[in-house]
Amino acid sequence: MKNKFKDNSQLIQLLQQVDKLLTLSPFADRQCNFMEICGTHTVSILKYGFRNYFKKRINFLSGPGCPVCVTSQKDIDKVISLAQMGVRIATFGDLIKVPGSKSSLEEQMALGKEVNVVYNPLDCLKIADETDEEVVFIAVGFETTIPVIASLILDAKKLRIENLSILPLMKTIPTALNFLLTNLENEIDGFICPGHVSVIIGERPYKIIPEKYGIPCVIAGFEPVDIGLAIESLVSQIRKHTPIVDNRYKRVVKEKGNISARRLIEEVFEKTDVEWRGFGEVPASGLKLREKFSKFDAEKKFNINVKSSPEPEGCICGEVIAGKKQPVECPLFAKKCTPDTPIGPCMVSYEGACSAFYKYGEE
């Protein structure tokens, strides 16, 4: 079956519309800054050539859309500390090569520490059931992943599994966007909002952006036509001075999101202040276990004591995540820092901006 969102003829028409709009006021004498809040959008924009096509007309900025990338250096060190204690770690694969201040999970595996890569947090139930060792799932993720982590906790409690816990490093996107706009003084003309996260949270959490800041938003998918629709929406909104939250991903994202998934999150977790790489501490932008589930909190269970650590010398991942710099501006990019020898997390994760730039590059 033909996928209409990969239809080249439709994409050509969209690009022609945008090309025409960009010759008109207010675009004729300035470049727009559009920030994508999802690492998969960063990949699509590079992979399908949008960055090169709109060069010097639209500047695409990578935002805080990769959960591994925004995890602070201190939190990475907590993960390494758990492995060094002899705890069996269960984690998504993206985290394995992320360097802490002194080591990485990959290095700990080489030293004989137990690390299991999982594709679904619920796999941890089986791992914990088959061993007497303590098992800790590294709970990194945004709203897309958090409902499944909530299910993991509820199932562990129901099954009375005593040797399983999580290190809660989860973050929520809308609070971070508001923080970005109020604290970092970025000149952003439009946001491409994350498709995956929006499936859970719906359209409403973004409305503060056009209503308070007058900045257009569009919720988009990831195919070439999806990206074209997103760019056309933002350019049209700017042209008409009518900023809204435009949902161009209605085949997946509903206005109210997934209410059942949000109830799961609400049942298990509550808001807390957390540190983001590139932002510092952002109030109420993370989630911790509610008190009735606190026995599943690995940070309390193992009394982890890790001091804050500086970013790796020369690494600008924090500035890339905040939209202040592009990966190619990093002095380490593609020299000392490559996918085989990553120095910062943005070069490790598939959704990381540096990894995407390294793979798909710019002409």
Side-chain angles (χ1 to χ4, degrees):
M1 180 182 293
K2 184 177 181 180
N3 184 339
K4 66 179 182 179
F5 293 96
K6 291 183 177 178
D7 185 339
N8 200 40
S9 61
Q10 187 179 352
L11 181 59
I12 289 171
Q13 289 181 15
L14 277 168
L15 294 177
Q16 289 173 342
Q17 290 176 36
V18 176
D19 286 342
K20 185 177 180 180
L21 287 169
L22 289 175
T23 64
L24 306 174
S25 175
F27 307 109
D29 57 353
R30 76 180 186 93
Q31 179 176 249
C32 290
N33 290 319
F34 292 166
M35 176 176 277
E36 68 268 6
I37 311 298
C38 178
T40 310
H41 278 144
T42 300
V43 172
S44 293
I45 287 167
L46 277 160
K47 181 179 177 180
Y48 298 129
F50 288 97
R51 178 178 288 276
N52 282 325
Y53 185 84
F54 289 109
K55 201 168 188 176
K56 297 183 179 179
R57 295 185 293 169
I58 298 175
N59 182 33
F60 293 98
L61 303 168
S62 301
C66 162
V68 169
C69 303
V70 300
T71 301
S72 71
Q73 194 75 356
K74 182 179 180 180
D75 286 336
I76 297 297
D77 285 344
K78 289 179 184 176
V79 176
I80 306 302
S81 174
L82 278 168
Q84 291 173 330
M85 289 179 195
V87 170
R88 181 183 286 266
I89 301 293
T91 178
F92 296 130
D94 278 7
L95 207 58
I96 296 291
K97 294 183 74 171
V98 177
S101 57
K102 295 180 180 175
S103 183
S104 67
L105 281 180
E106 185 177 50
E107 291 175 359
Q108 293 302 309
M109 291 169 74
L111 292 171
K113 304 302 182 185
E114 295 288 347
V115 179
N116 290 92
V117 174
V118 297
Y119 298 96
N120 183 333
L122 297 177
D123 293 343
C124 297
L125 295 170
K126 184 179 179 184
I127 295 171
D129 185 55
E130 293 177 346
T131 180
D132 292 328
E133 296 176 286
E134 287 288 344
V135 178
V136 176
F137 174 65
I138 309 303
V140 169
F142 296 136
E143 288 89 339
T144 318
T145 313
I146 297 170
V148 186
I149 300 173
S151 294
L152 171 66
I153 298 299
L154 292 172
D155 286 354
K157 184 177 182 183
K158 182 179 178 182
L159 296 169
R160 299 182 179 179
I161 296 177
E162 300 294 331
N163 63 331
L164 175 63
S165 55
I166 69 169
L167 183 62
L169 304 177
M170 300 154 288
K171 297 175 177 63
T172 56
I173 285 292
T175 312
L177 291 185
N178 193 36
F179 180 86
L180 184 74
L181 288 163
T182 54
N183 290 277
L184 298 181
E185 300 177 358
N186 282 282
E187 294 182 2
I188 297 171
D189 298 295
F191 283 106
I192 300 176
C193 300
H196 298 141
V197 166
S198 302
V199 170
I200 304 299
I201 68 175
E203 301 173 10
R204 182 171 297 176
Y206 304 116
K207 290 191 175 180
I208 188 174
I209 300 174
E211 291 173 359
K212 182 176 179 180
Y213 301 100
I215 299 176
C217 294
V218 60
I219 299 170
F222 305 96
E223 299 293 355
V225 173
D226 288 315
I227 302 297
L229 287 166
I231 295 168
E232 186 274 331
S233 171
L234 292 179
V235 171
S236 294
Q237 290 185 56
I238 294 170
R239 168 74 177 156
K240 296 174 183 174
H241 304 287
T242 54
I244 59 171
V245 177
D246 186 11
N247 185 356
R248 295 293 183 100
Y249 199 29
K250 288 186 176 178
R251 67 185 188 277
V252 175
V253 176
K254 308 305 177 190
E255 180 182 358
K256 295 182 180 178
N258 186 327
I259 296 171
S260 297
R262 292 206 303 278
R263 283 177 180 156
L264 265 180
I265 296 172
E266 180 70 17
E267 180 180 354
V268 177
F269 300 111
E270 60 183 313
K271 291 182 179 180
T272 188
D273 304 344
V274 293
E275 184 179 346
W276 294 59
R277 190 183 297 263
F279 291 4
E281 185 169 283
V282 180
S285 67
L287 295 173
K288 65 179 181 180
L289 287 157
R290 292 190 179 278
E291 185 58 33
K292 63 182 176 180
F293 299 108
S294 61
K295 74 173 187 177
F296 295 105
D297 187 336
E299 189 151 11
K300 294 179 179 176
K301 193 172 188 177
F302 299 102
N303 192 27
I304 304 169
N305 185 17
V306 171
K307 296 179 180 177
S308 294
S309 302
E311 297 292 313
E313 187 174 353
C315 175
I316 65 166
C317 277
E319 292 169 279
V320 171
I321 292 164
K324 295 178 178 177
K325 290 187 177 180
Q326 300 286 2
V328 293
E329 296 180 69
C330 179
L332 307 178
F333 179 79
K335 297 171 185 168
K336 291 184 178 180
C337 186
T338 70
D340 289 331
T341 58
I343 293 175
C346 296
M347 185 58 89
V348 177
S349 173
Y350 171 78
E351 293 187 318
C354 298
S355 170
F357 268 74
Y358 187 91
K359 189 171 185 178
Y360 299 109
E362 286 186 289
E363 293 177 359

